[in-house]
Amino acid sequence: MKKSKKPTKGEAWLVLIIGLIMGTVFTFGTQYWNAPITPDEAEQVTATFSSYKETKRKSRIQEIILRFDDHEQLSIDRTSIDSDLRDAIREIEAGTTIEMLVHPNSNTILEMTIGNTKLLAFHESMQKLSSEIVPFMYLGIFCYLSALIGAGYLIFGKRRRL
């Protein structure tokens, strides 16, 4: 029977460092980028639509990026995208003025209005975006546990059984 190979010191350091970095990003970064806010705390943006792009992974839309003539690009998170919104965005013509409420920490559009038509509602978007925090917390905890395993190999890896 073949013995399992113990990780090298370099591999243990790599697991420790990557685990700490990714754990911090998933645990604290997501809470910052998706932090619950009120409409008053959101950035109010009025911009002239130029174009859009859908980013996909495995044929599922991850986000819709909106480009503007007079403002930096903004995005809509996958949790807020449904077929009605996609269809509405496909119908927007270049030069159309869009009013939006944007999350100040992530440039994510939380509310989008054209004229008197609300394409995206703030409270629904904020609720969906906030619900995304929980899975990332679990992923962050997993990364921290991986870092702990890496540290364990560094601390206890040199000991030999008699």
Side-chain angles (χ1 to χ4, degrees), residues 102-136:
V102 178
H103 198 296
N105 299 346
S106 62
N107 284 338
T108 300
I109 300 170
L110 300 172
E111 181 172 288
M112 189 163 86
T113 307
I114 298 175
N116 293 329
T117 306
K118 190 172 287 195
L119 303 178
L120 189 60
F122 180 87
H123 293 290
E124 291 174 15
S125 297
M126 192 69 256
Q127 185 178 20
K128 290 176 182 176
L129 195 62
S130 294
S131 71
E132 201 174 54
I133 292 174
V134 174
F136 281 101

Side-chain angles (χ1 to χ4, degrees), residues 14 24 32 46 75 92 104 108 139 154:
L14 189 63
T24 302
Y32 174 76
T46 301
S75 64
I92 301 173
T108 300
L139 192 54
L154 287 171

Side-chain angles (χ1 to χ4, degrees), residues 4-114:
S4 63
K5 180 185 165 240
K6 286 188 178 183
T8 65
K9 192 174 183 179
E11 291 169 338
W13 273 108
L14 189 63
V15 169
L16 174 66
I17 292 168
I18 290 175
L20 288 174
I21 292 170
M22 296 306 291
T24 302
V25 167
F26 288 131
T27 304
F28 300 106
T30 303
Q31 287 184 31
Y32 174 76
W33 295 312
N34 297 352
I37 62 170
T38 64
D40 292 335
E41 295 170 316
E43 180 184 344
Q44 294 184 7
V45 175
T46 301
T48 306
F49 179 78
S50 148
S51 64
Y52 78 97
K53 176 184 174 186
E54 296 176 359
T55 60
K56 296 181 179 182
R57 186 179 323 144
K58 296 182 181 177
S59 73
R60 292 188 61 188
I61 294 180
Q62 295 301 304
E63 69 180 346
I64 296 176
I65 299 169
L66 300 178
R67 296 186 181 105
F68 304 96
D69 293 331
D70 51 0
H71 195 275
E72 66 182 317
Q73 70 183 21
L74 300 169
S75 64
I76 301 171
D77 189 79
R78 74 178 187 279
T79 58
S80 299
I81 300 170
D82 60 20
S83 60
D84 291 337
L85 180 62
R86 285 179 62 198
D87 292 342
I89 290 173
R90 288 178 179 159
E91 298 295 320
I92 301 173
E93 295 181 15
T96 301
T97 300
I98 303 175
E99 295 178 20
M100 297 163 282
L101 291 179
V102 178
H103 198 296
N105 299 346
S106 62
N107 284 338
T108 300
I109 300 170
L110 300 172
E111 181 172 288
M112 189 163 86
T113 307
I114 298 175

